[in-house]
């Protein structure tokens, strides 16, 4: 039984430790022989670094590492190329400025190739390294996490812009060195404009949403079943279940990522950690807190309800953008919190667009947890207890105490973050609260043939149709009546109640509510 390779980013380590390696060499072979300059965006912990390592070993001629892979008898391992492999992750920016860190990295690569650089500036040193190494044979340049010095300082625009300028100077030397380069492969999370790769290197191919490379990272379901069969057997015994049921739950939790709307992959880090821990949890999400993103959503008053059932964006939205003008939808997509669920082709105008939504349960549930913390400043542990209490009140059919529980949440929100003049703020908070309750007793933003209901709550004996308004209860109940929101539930067999809830700006809370039966609401 082979080992798991959690956190291992080097092909040599995976092979030497007898760990599972999902063969990516066929698609890498296609990539290398189809072009010369590439950029690939993928979320963190999604296999970018291992991809770079595999290319490094190929061009370095380390044939032994590729035994039992597709490429083993198709690659000329004797045809070696000098490789410049640079990762901008963990280069010591907490202790030194970026220009000094880049100079250190370049000189380290030069030392590995027994080269002494004479230039003084970091960008000129990079150029000197490429020209010396590429004099006899074109060099392979592999840059992993090219944007890390920007991403890590995204909440500090001045520092992020300074680092962008430094990176621009560093990368700009590549554009005039075409004859010295065999392959340039760049990975990152976001595609920032005004970084030389994207503004000056005209022949750079962005393969992020290219259908030919949609499965170049991540695990397909077929690969999981083929490579991790022994681990699946263990989980089946642990959960006392069968293979079909196990895969169904894994699919719900960790599948759903797509970069073309056709091919879907699992999160590799979460899958491997599931096999290691033998328990379902939010493994990938918990390795990086999206505080900047959740803060941006609150400050820009983003309608988070649209993320639930997918929303459409133009394909051009994925082009590079400026640090000072970040589109939150694109950033959420590139960071892995949203994914492409469908590619929409307009055959009349020969254009395309994409439908974005959460990839899976892990991301959606975790994102709600972080968002409610951002919108209320209530500790996650405290909020868990609050929602459990709301759950109990709802299941016991005690709507009065349920409303009081909601009021207690609003009363705990600090006044500096309370957007009392903004009706959507109240709706967002209530939406998040209700989404964090059990899915089998609540539907939020439920559509009927007459419109969209704010919420539908289910108990064993009753169904509550809820509408929230900033004005007054009468208006909320009138909308339920006029739109006949109760009609789809009349045949259910349970008692159906219509609930109007009114928020007060001055109270910064629920100021009133009223419950009517269907018969009573038809009379108003």
């Amino acid at each position: 039984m082979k080992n798991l390779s959690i956190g291992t980013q080097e092909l040599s380590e995976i092979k030497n430790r007898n760990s599972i390696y999902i063969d990516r060499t066929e698609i890498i072979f296609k990539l290398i022989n189809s072009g010369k300059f590439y950029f690939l965006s993928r979320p963190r912990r999604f296999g970018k670094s291992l991809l770079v390592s595999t290319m490094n070993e190929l061009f370095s001629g380390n044939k032994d590492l590729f035994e039992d892979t597709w490429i083993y008898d198709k690659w000329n391992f004797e045809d070696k190329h000098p490789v410049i492999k640079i990762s901008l992750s963990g280069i010591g920016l907490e202790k030194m400025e970026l220009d000094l860190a880049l100079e250190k990295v370049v000189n380290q690569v030069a030392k590995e190739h027994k080269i002494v650089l004479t230039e003084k500036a970091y960008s000129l040193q990079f150029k000197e390294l490429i020209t010396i190494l590429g004099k006899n044979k074109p060099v392979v340049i592999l840059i992993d996490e090219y944007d890390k010095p920007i991403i890590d300082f995204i909440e500090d625009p001045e520092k992020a812009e300074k680092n962008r300028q430094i990176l621009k100077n560093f990368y700009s030397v590549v554009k005039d060195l075409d004859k010295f380069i065999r392959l340039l492969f760049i990975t990152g999370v976001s595609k920032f404009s005004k970084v030389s790769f994207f503004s000056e290197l005209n022949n750079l191919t962005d393969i992020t949403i290219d259908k030919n490379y949609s499965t170049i990272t991540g695990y397909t379901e077929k690969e999981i079943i083929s490579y991790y069969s022994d681990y699946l057997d263990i989980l089946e015994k642990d959960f006392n279940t069968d293979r079909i049921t196990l895969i169904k739950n894994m699919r719900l939790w960790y599948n759903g990522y797509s970069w073309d709307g056709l091919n879907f992959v699992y999160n590799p880090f979460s899958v491997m950690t599931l096999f290691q821990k033998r328990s379902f949890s939010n493994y990938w999400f918990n390795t990086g807190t999206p505080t900047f993103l959740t803060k941006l959503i609150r400050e820009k008053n983003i309608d988070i309800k649209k993320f639930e059932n997918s929303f459409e964006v133009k394909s051009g939205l994925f082009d590079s953008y400026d640090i000072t003008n970040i589109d939150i939808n694109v950033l959420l997509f590139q960071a892995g919190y949203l994914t492409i669920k469908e590619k929409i082709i307009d055959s009349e105008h020969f254009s395309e667009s994409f439908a974005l939504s959460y990839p899976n349960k892990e991301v959606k549930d975790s994102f709600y947890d972080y968002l409610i913390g951002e919108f209320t400043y209530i500790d996650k542990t405290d909020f868990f207890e609050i929602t459990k209490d709301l759950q109990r009140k709802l299941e016991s059919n005690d709507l009065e105490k349920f409303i009081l529980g909601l009021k207690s949440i609003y009363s705990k929100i600090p006044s500096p973050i309370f957007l009392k003049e903004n009706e959507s703020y109240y709706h967002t908070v209530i939406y998040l609260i209700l989404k964090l309750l059990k899915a089998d007793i609540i539907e939020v933003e439920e559509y009927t043939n007459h419109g969209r209901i704010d919420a539908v709550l289910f108990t064993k004996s009753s169904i509550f149709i809820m509408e929230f308004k900033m004005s007054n209860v009468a208006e909320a109940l009138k909308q339920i009546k006029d739109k006949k929101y109760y009609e789809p539930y009349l045949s259910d067999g349970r008692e159906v109640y219509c609930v109007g809830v009114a928020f007060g700006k001055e109270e910064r809370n629920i100021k009133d509510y009223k419950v009517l039966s269907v018969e009573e609401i038809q009379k108003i």
Side-chain angles (χ1 to χ4, degrees):
M1 184 170 173
K2 288 193 172 185
N3 298 313
L4 299 168
S5 58
I6 300 173
T8 307
Q9 300 175 344
E10 296 294 329
L11 180 63
S12 57
E13 288 188 41
I14 290 175
K15 291 290 185 174
N16 293 335
R17 294 177 182 176
N18 192 34
S19 299
I20 294 171
Y21 170 69
I22 291 186
D23 190 0
R24 287 283 181 270
T25 59
E26 183 175 2
I27 198 167
I28 290 173
F29 183 86
K30 178 182 178 181
L31 178 81
I32 290 170
N33 288 287
S34 300
K36 187 172 179 178
F37 300 95
Y38 293 103
F39 169 71
L40 174 70
S41 167
R42 286 293 185 269
R44 58 188 168 79
R45 292 182 177 269
F46 231 89
K48 300 189 297 294
S49 298
L50 178 56
L51 194 65
V52 166
S53 173
T54 306
M55 292 182 186
N56 178 30
E57 302 294 357
L58 272 175
F59 283 106
S60 299
N62 295 322
K63 186 175 182 178
D64 291 347
L65 295 177
F66 293 91
E67 192 174 353
D68 300 324
T69 66
W70 179 91
I71 207 170
Y72 186 72
D73 59 354
K74 301 173 183 68
W75 184 264
N76 183 5
F77 289 93
E78 299 300 320
D79 184 25
K80 300 179 183 180
H81 285 260
V83 178
I84 298 174
K85 179 174 174 281
I86 295 175
S87 174
L88 295 192
S89 176
I91 59 172
L93 294 185
E94 66 280 359
K95 296 179 180 178
M96 66 180 82
E97 291 298 310
L98 177 58
D99 53 350
L100 296 177
L102 289 172
E103 183 177 331
K104 183 179 178 181
V105 168
V106 170
N107 278 275
Q108 180 61 40
V109 176
K111 185 178 179 181
E112 292 169 2
H113 288 280
K114 297 181 173 56
I115 294 173
V116 177
L117 301 174
T118 59
E119 295 288 352
K120 301 301 181 184
Y122 63 95
S123 57
L124 294 179
Q125 287 177 342
F126 187 35
K127 181 177 183 178
E128 184 182 9
L129 178 62
I130 295 170
T131 53
I132 292 174
L133 281 177
K135 185 176 293 184
N136 297 320
K137 201 158 196 178
V139 67
V140 172
I141 305 174
L142 306 171
I143 301 179
D144 194 20
E145 306 286 5
Y146 94 96
D147 57 345
K148 200 73 163 58
I150 300 175
I151 292 291
D152 284 357
F153 296 95
I154 202 72
E155 292 188 74
D156 183 353
E158 185 176 336
K159 181 72 171 181
E161 173 57 28
K162 180 182 178 182
N163 285 351
R164 184 202 62 77
Q165 185 62 50
I166 292 172
L167 289 176
K168 178 183 178 182
N169 295 337
F170 182 67
Y171 297 139
S172 65
V173 301
V174 174
K175 67 173 182 172
D176 297 323
L177 302 177
D178 187 58
K179 67 179 181 179
F180 296 101
I181 299 173
R182 165 65 178 88
L183 175 73
L184 173 66
F185 185 75
I186 311 144
T187 81
V189 172
S190 296
K191 188 178 178 183
F192 291 105
S193 63
K194 300 178 184 177
V195 174
S196 294
F197 287 142
F198 310 117
S199 57
E200 298 177 21
L201 200 59
N202 297 327
N203 51 353
L204 182 73
T205 302
D206 184 350
I207 61 170
T208 300
I209 58 174
D210 188 328
K211 64 182 179 182
N212 295 302
Y213 303 104
S214 60
T215 60
I216 198 168
T217 64
Y219 294 165
T220 66
E221 192 166 289
K222 183 179 179 181
E223 288 170 336
I224 291 174
I225 294 170
S226 175
Y227 286 89
Y228 290 100
S229 179
D230 291 337
Y231 288 93
L232 291 171
D233 289 340
I234 293 171
L235 286 185
E236 285 176 36
K237 292 177 183 177
D238 282 356
F239 290 101
N240 190 27
T241 189
D242 56 68
R243 180 66 56 92
I244 293 174
T245 305
L246 175 62
I247 293 295
K248 181 181 178 181
N249 278 278
M250 288 179 62
R251 191 183 301 139
L252 174 70
W253 273 82
Y254 306 124
N255 194 22
Y257 293 91
S258 179
W259 283 269
D260 63 357
L262 298 171
N263 298 286
F264 292 85
V265 296
Y266 286 72
N267 186 308
F269 179 81
S270 289
V271 168
M272 283 192 288
T273 312
L274 166 66
F275 290 141
Q276 181 192 58
K277 304 287 188 181
R278 291 151 70 169
S279 174
F280 285 87
S281 189
N282 305 328
Y283 298 118
W284 173 81
F285 197 99
N286 290 335
T287 61
T289 307
T291 50
F292 167 71
L293 291 171
T294 53
K295 181 181 178 182
L296 203 61
I297 287 171
R298 180 176 66 82
E299 290 177 347
K300 291 195 172 187
N301 194 28
I302 303 296
D303 181 12
I304 62 169
K305 296 186 287 295
K306 68 180 181 179
F307 300 154
E308 179 77 18
N309 297 311
S310 81
F311 62 100
E312 191 174 344
V313 297
K314 293 181 179 180
S315 59
L317 198 66
F318 299 129
D319 291 337
S320 59
Y321 52 88
D322 199 286
I323 296 170
T324 58
N325 186 29
I326 296 175
D327 187 300
I328 186 66
N329 299 315
V330 179
L331 200 54
L332 286 168
F333 164 69
Q334 292 177 335
Y337 301 113
L338 296 177
T339 198
I340 295 173
K341 288 299 183 181
E342 182 185 2
K343 184 177 182 178
I344 304 163
I345 305 294
D346 184 342
S347 56
E348 182 179 351
H349 299 96
F350 294 95
S351 62
E352 62 183 27
S353 58
F354 297 97
L356 301 183
S357 186
Y358 297 114
N360 51 43
K361 176 179 172 62
E362 175 186 15
V363 173
K364 182 169 70 171
D365 289 359
S366 300
F367 208 61
Y368 285 148
D369 282 339
Y370 276 96
L371 281 170
I372 196 65
E374 178 62 41
F375 273 81
T376 66
Y377 276 33
I378 298 174
D379 182 82
K380 283 199 296 182
T381 302
D382 293 341
F383 206 88
F384 176 76
E385 292 300 320
I386 291 169
T387 53
K388 292 296 288 184
D389 184 53
L390 285 174
Q391 192 80 49
R392 287 189 290 268
K393 290 169 180 174
L394 192 59
E395 289 173 346
S396 64
N397 222 35
D398 194 337
L399 191 66
E400 182 177 354
K401 288 184 178 178
F402 179 80
I403 296 291
L404 287 174
L406 294 179
K407 291 181 72 172
S408 72
I409 293 174
Y410 281 98
S411 68
K412 290 181 173 68
I413 300 175
S415 58
I417 71 161
F418 210 112
L419 309 176
K420 70 175 185 176
E421 302 298 327
N422 195 323
E423 183 173 356
S424 65
Y425 175 81
Y426 292 84
H427 279 269
T428 298
V429 172
I430 203 77
Y431 174 83
L432 288 168
I433 293 169
L434 298 181
K435 290 301 292 184
L436 288 169
L437 299 180
K438 285 173 61 178
D440 59 340
I441 62 167
I442 182 165
E443 294 171 349
V444 182
E445 298 286 328
E446 182 66 9
Y447 284 88
T448 73
N449 60 332
H450 294 295
R452 187 173 66 183
I453 311 171
D454 282 343
V456 185
L457 309 185
F458 299 85
T459 69
K460 290 181 179 179
S461 59
S462 306
I463 298 175
F464 297 95
I465 313 296
M466 303 189 74
E467 189 66 28
F468 304 96
K469 289 293 181 186
M470 200 70 187
S471 49
N472 54 65
V473 167
E475 187 176 335
L477 290 171
K478 184 177 184 301
Q479 182 167 326
I480 295 175
K481 176 189 176 182
D482 292 345
K483 299 288 186 179
K484 299 181 179 179
Y485 287 156
Y486 49 81
E487 281 191 340
Y489 306 97
L490 294 178
S491 61
D492 180 87
R494 284 174 281 189
E495 287 291 325
V496 178
Y497 295 96
C498 304
V499 185
V501 179
F503 295 109
K505 292 179 181 179
E506 297 305 318
E507 295 88 345
R508 295 188 300 189
N509 209 320
I510 295 172
K511 68 175 181 180
D512 194 15
Y513 80 97
K514 191 171 185 178
V515 184
L516 297 178
S517 67
V518 173
E519 291 77 14
E520 289 173 324
I521 203 167
Q522 288 173 335
K523 295 177 182 178
I524 64 174

